Amino acid sequence: MDYLPVFLNLRDQLALVVGGGAVATRKVELLLKAHARVRVVAPRLHAELSLYRDAGRIEHLACAFEPRQFDGAIFAIAATDRSDVNQAVAAAGAARGIFVNVVDDAAASSAVMPAIVDRSPLVIAIGSCGQSPALARRVRAQLEAMLPERLGDLARLAGAARARVQRALPDIGLRRRFWDRLFAGSIASKVFAGGAREAAALLDAELRAASDGTQRPRGEVYLIGAGPGDPDLLTLRALQLLQQSDVVLYDRLVSPAVLERVRRDAERIFVGKQPGRHRVTQERIHSLLLEYAGRGLRVARLKGGDPFIFGRGGEELDLVRRAGVPVIVVPGITAALGAAASAALPLTQRGVAPSVTFVTATGEGAEGLDWRSLAAPLQTVVFYMGVAQLPRIVELLRAHGAPAERPAAIVEQATLPGQRVIAGCLRDINAQAQRAQVVAPALLIVGEVARRAAQSADLVQALDLRGAANA
Ligand code: SAH
């Protein structure tokens, strides 16, 4: 280790920044974030820095660098684009025993600035001892994606409870276990999901139970939307929770690639409908949820798309809540949005589609829909459907006044490697689907915006033909 990482307390201390450009601006902002007083030396200031000066947040010396500008400073950053000036700043700092960072010049620096992941009060600094700032930035990006946004809130919650926990649990072993459980369990997940107040109440209850020895493991349920299939469309929170789940109950719509992102040693339980096999009933899913949570396990209920869009998420939420088990709901990208993006079909569009409706037309539900309004022009209607319902949907739309020429598109296996888009209009979409042998899962998109599907299908075909001609 060639450098010692330390956190400097710069509050109300003077820091000198030499340079007034964009790079200096970022450094000044960083110093202000750390509550330093900042003196900027630069003949001219970047527009943003002028704003800070006008607001009285920095001191500005509009002149060339001179060593006496170090007076009163305990840290300095040289951020000009002239290496002779930067060297002069470094030398003047060294002569006074003040650490100087020269931007992008580790050799001239007595201090190097790390890449920072800021979850204050939890702060992570990543340095490469000047070898590869680009690599340090990359590691930072990885940590950024991994660490919950509200990690700082958890640190604050723990900080506020620290003295109380110390009093209640004088034994250090017990105390460590208490904190470990807290950071891995429902209290932390609550904080990360924005429920700090609820988390504080849970913490009090846990602490009471821990100190009078009545503690029992507390299970929890995560109702997670897995998105339409492409695992890169999982939310960060979904990933974080899938990485800490003990058991995962998943549907048929959850893609194998998404399941790959589940913690290696978690138990995976399929609760979907399989062709030719009996469906796991909703009652059975309910009892599994409660059974596993009751054993103190962290149970992920992973559903295709979003749990609250045609996913019976509401029923599961009510059940788990009634049983007093903490539950966290994580939204997912619903199939309509996934299909729209990957088939390049905007669902609303000025002038032709000022509104969009998501409908489920599976089962008997279809008869109860307001077909007259679904058949009306100037809108987009997305049908979540079993492929077998397609003819009936088209028939009902036509019967309620939708013209045969109204554009329609089917997106099959949206966002998955086998995605296909079948384009047509109400007159021919059935025949098209049959010819293409569409299989589940598939969505039907009806409305003017679906015209684009035909256009882009033509384009793809043209490109394919061109590719074939070139080959
Ligand atoms: N909760 C899910 C929907 C469940 S209903 C969500 O928010 O997406 C099941 C229907 O969703 C399927 O019949 C199909 O119409 C649609 N669907 C789900 N995933 C799909 C995908 N990858 N491509 C196309 N349609 C999909």
Side-chain angles (χ1 to χ4, degrees):
M1 192 162 77
D2 293 330
Y3 292 77
L4 179 71
V6 290
F7 288 91
L8 296 180
N9 181 355
L10 287 182
R11 186 177 285 274
D12 300 328
Q13 302 283 354
L14 184 64
L16 175 70
V17 175
V18 182
V23 176
T25 306
R26 301 285 91 81
K27 301 299 173 192
V28 166
E29 283 169 341
L30 201 57
L31 291 165
L32 288 175
K33 241 176 145 181
H35 311 283
R37 289 188 290 127
V38 183
R39 173 181 293 158
V40 178
V41 174
R44 273 177 315 276
L45 283 188
H46 187 268
E48 270 178 78
L49 279 180
S50 315
L51 293 178
Y52 286 119
R53 178 200 53 207
D54 297 346
R57 297 196 56 199
I58 59 173
E59 171 192 351
H60 177 214
L61 305 180
C63 58
F65 168 70
E66 289 169 42
R68 64 183 161 79
Q69 291 156 350
F70 263 94
D71 286 354
I74 64 161
F75 181 60
I77 297 178
T80 76
D81 51 10
R82 287 186 40 189
S83 80
D84 58 327
V85 175
N86 289 348
Q87 299 286 347
V89 177
R96 290 161 182 247
I98 294 174
F99 283 103
V100 177
N101 170 251
V102 180
V103 172
D104 277 340
D105 188 350
S109 300
S110 50
V112 291
M113 302 292 278
I116 298 171
V117 181
D118 184 5
R119 299 284 191 277
S120 288
L122 196 106
V123 178
I124 301 167
I126 305 141
S128 64
C129 297
Q131 300 295 309
S132 177
L135 181 61
R137 276 198 299 275
R138 197 176 154 74
V139 172
R140 181 190 67 177
Q142 287 167 343
L143 290 173
E144 284 283 7
M146 227 171 78
L147 298 173
E149 177 68 20
R150 296 190 178 94
L151 199 57
D153 292 351
L154 184 61
R156 255 189 299 276
L157 179 77
R162 201 162 158 222
R164 257 183 313 139
V165 173
Q166 239 151 9
R167 269 196 311 275
L169 302 172
D171 179 83
I172 178 145
L174 280 182
R175 206 155 65 225
R176 274 222 186 107
R177 245 173 299 147
F178 176 82
W179 287 124
D180 280 345
R181 243 190 345 259
L182 184 132
F183 295 141
S186 54
I187 294 179
S189 347
K190 267 283 169 245
V191 172
F192 298 155
R197 194 127 30 102
E198 221 176 315
L202 280 173
L203 188 148
D204 285 339
E206 296 265 300
L207 188 56
R208 244 176 286 124
S211 55
D212 61 23
T214 58
Q215 193 167 43
R216 52 181 186 86
R218 174 190 279 281
E220 54 187 334
V221 169
Y222 315 135
L223 212 49
I224 302 177
D230 179 345
D232 284 351
L233 293 177
L234 280 167
T235 64
L236 293 176
R237 185 168 300 151
L239 261 186
Q240 286 151 8
L241 292 176
L242 288 177
Q243 281 297 316
Q244 66 170 52
S245 298
D246 303 304
V247 186
V248 179
L249 305 182
Y250 67 98
D251 278 335
R252 186 177 49 85
L253 282 173
V254 174
S255 71
V258 165
L259 279 179
E260 280 293 310
R261 308 287 173 106
V262 169
R263 203 178 87 189
R264 288 267 159 257
D265 48 358
E267 186 180 347
R268 289 140 219 249
I269 303 174
F270 176 73
V271 294
K273 189 165 57 175
Q274 248 169 353
R277 298 242 324 258
H278 207 64
R279 185 197 173 98
V280 179
T281 62
Q282 192 65 32
E283 291 68 45
R284 177 79 187 124
I285 295 174
H286 286 182
S287 67
L288 284 173
L289 280 172
L290 294 186
E291 184 187 322
Y292 283 110
R295 281 196 229 153
L297 298 174
R298 290 163 293 185
V299 188
R301 173 69 177 105
L302 191 56
K303 291 164 157 310
D306 180 88
F308 286 171
I309 302 268
F310 312 132
R312 305 191 74 166
E315 293 163 48
E316 292 174 15
L317 176 72
D318 291 345
L319 166 96
V320 173
R321 275 202 166 151
R322 267 199 308 275
V325 175
V327 57
I328 289 170
V329 182
V330 183
I333 293 184
T334 190
L337 301 184
S342 59
L345 299 178
L347 294 179
T348 67
Q349 194 176 317
R350 259 156 60 110
V352 295
S355 78
V356 58
T357 307
F358 296 168
V359 201
T360 176
T362 42
E364 300 86 59
E367 309 301 327
L369 292 169
D370 179 358
W371 287 95
R372 187 183 301 278
S373 73
L374 294 175
L378 282 175
Q379 62 173 334
T380 305
V381 184
V382 183
F383 291 91
Y384 288 65
M385 53 149 201
V387 175
Q389 269 91 32
L390 180 64
R392 183 95 184 104
I393 294 170
V394 172
E395 186 188 313
L396 281 163
L397 285 174
R398 295 279 292 115
H400 289 82
E405 287 68 38
R406 176 158 309 156
I410 292 172
V411 186
E412 179 194 42
Q413 310 253 14
T415 80
L416 290 162
Q419 171 175 312
R420 288 193 299 169
V421 181
I422 289 104
C425 61
L426 291 181
R427 186 201 311 286
D428 65 3
I429 194 72
N430 252 326
Q432 298 253 32
Q434 249 161 25
R435 201 169 327 129
Q437 302 192 335
V438 171
V439 294
L443 284 173
L444 173 68
I445 303 178
V446 178
E448 197 47 43
V449 297
R451 195 182 292 283
R452 285 172 178 257
Q455 286 159 358
S456 49
D458 287 349
L459 188 68
V460 170
Q461 208 172 25
L463 290 172
D464 277 356
L465 288 177
R466 218 174 47 204
N470 288 343

